[in-house]
Amino acid sequence: MNVIALSPLDLAVAALLIVALGGLSLRMHIGVERQLLVSAARSTLQLFLIGLVLKVLFESAQPVWMALLATVMLLVAGREVMVRQKRRFVGCWGFGVGTLSMFVSAFAVTVMALLLVIGADPWYAPQYAIPLLGMVLGNTMNGISPGLDRLTPDATQRRQIIESRLALGHDWQRAI
């Protein structure tokens, strides 16, 4: 595997850009210098930790570890879908509906792309599977969130109609 390492010059340029942004903020009296410093330190720490996790995953390339990472990615995306809702489903439905929808669509597309388009060997190779799953989950999340966010206010506005249909004996799928 080819590893592209950052040179000290690359790191110095990145640090210089952050310092320049802080100086610009001071000069223009914006007042974001402290937040800039905290954000830069946090980003550095996050990237370092993610780099360690990815290094272990790339070296081992075991399906169990890939499944664990994919599950974590799915759960985080499911939480994000739930948080984006103005009116959420009650109980486990709030988390489950979006997460299940993303699981079915994102994982089907990712596995098909890995097997049929990319042809990675093994098909779960982390250097292909992780970024592809991340992109597909992100796009799926951005499609499911507005759909669910639109469903719940519509159901709330049409509550009397839905309850009338249920009282007339319709099943819940037809009533909604």
Side-chain angles (χ1 to χ4, degrees):
M1 177 190 328
N2 293 335
V3 177
I4 300 172
L6 293 175
S7 71
L9 178 64
D10 295 332
L11 296 175
V13 168
L16 184 64
L17 289 172
I18 292 171
V19 169
L21 187 58
L24 188 60
S25 174
L26 276 172
R27 177 155 166 80
M28 297 180 72
H29 305 291
I30 297 174
V32 294
E33 306 82 32
R34 182 180 171 94
Q35 294 91 344
L36 181 65
L37 181 63
V38 170
S39 296
R42 188 176 129 202
S43 297
T44 302
L45 181 64
Q46 286 176 339
L47 288 172
F48 176 73
L49 293 174
I50 290 294
L52 290 176
V53 170
L54 291 177
K55 181 179 179 189
V56 170
L57 275 172
F58 286 9
E59 288 174 354
S60 68
Q62 296 295 320
V64 173
W65 294 114
M66 285 302 304
L68 181 64
L69 180 67
T71 302
V72 169
M73 291 170 69
L74 177 67
L75 294 176
V76 169
R79 182 204 166 276
E80 184 63 26
V81 166
M82 184 184 73
V83 169
R84 290 182 181 184
Q85 307 307 308
K86 291 180 187 118
R87 297 186 70 109
R88 297 181 189 140
F89 287 102
V90 179
C92 64
W93 281 100
F95 181 75
V97 170
T99 306
L100 182 64
S101 301
M102 281 191 301
F103 172 74
V104 171
S105 58
F107 281 76
V109 168
T110 302
V111 169
M112 284 191 335
L114 287 169
L115 291 173
L116 303 176
V117 177
I118 296 173
D121 185 37
W123 67 270
Y124 54 85
Q127 60 268 32
Y128 300 109
I130 293 171
L132 184 61
L133 179 60
M135 288 183 282
V136 173
L137 268 176
N139 287 328
T140 306
M141 181 178 63
N142 288 330
I144 290 173
S145 289
L148 286 176
D149 199 35
R150 179 78 181 144
L151 172 67
T152 49
D154 282 356
T156 302
Q157 289 174 351
R158 296 187 175 105
R159 180 178 179 168
Q160 290 180 341
I161 295 170
I162 295 169
E163 288 176 351
S164 298
R165 289 178 181 169
L166 289 170
L168 291 172
H170 293 257
D171 60 358
W172 67 270
Q173 292 100 337
R174 188 161 178 212
I176 193 80

